[in-house]
Amino acid sequence: MNGKNLFNFGPVLGYYFRKNDPSRKNNFNMKTMHFINKLSLAMFLVCLVVMLFRYVL
């Protein structure tokens, strides 16, 4: 593992901003799972920014 791949946020941003795929089935459970995943990733990133901000100050 090298340092270049450590800060590769492309897949994360792609997960947040991808379009709906019409060929995929979309039921309530899948929508709920994706919402919870996006929410937990957002909370993690916000906490990471807060921790870095506190560390700098």
Side-chain angles (χ1 to χ4, degrees):
M1 182 174 190
N2 58 9
K4 186 176 184 180
N5 292 332
L6 187 61
F7 294 103
N8 184 9
F9 294 112
V12 175
L13 294 175
Y15 179 74
Y16 272 101
F17 299 113
R18 67 180 169 192
K19 301 286 183 192
N20 289 337
D21 188 5
S23 65
R24 247 184 219 191
K25 283 188 174 183
N26 217 359
N27 59 16
F28 177 75
N29 292 334
M30 290 296 287
K31 288 180 184 179
T32 305
M33 180 194 69
H34 285 293
F35 173 75
I36 291 172
N37 283 343
K38 288 179 182 181
L39 183 64
S40 65
L41 276 171
M43 289 174 58
F44 172 75
L45 292 174
V46 167
C47 291
L48 189 64
V49 168
V50 168
M51 288 173 57
L52 287 172
F53 183 73
R54 287 182 179 178
Y55 179 74
V56 170
L57 294 180

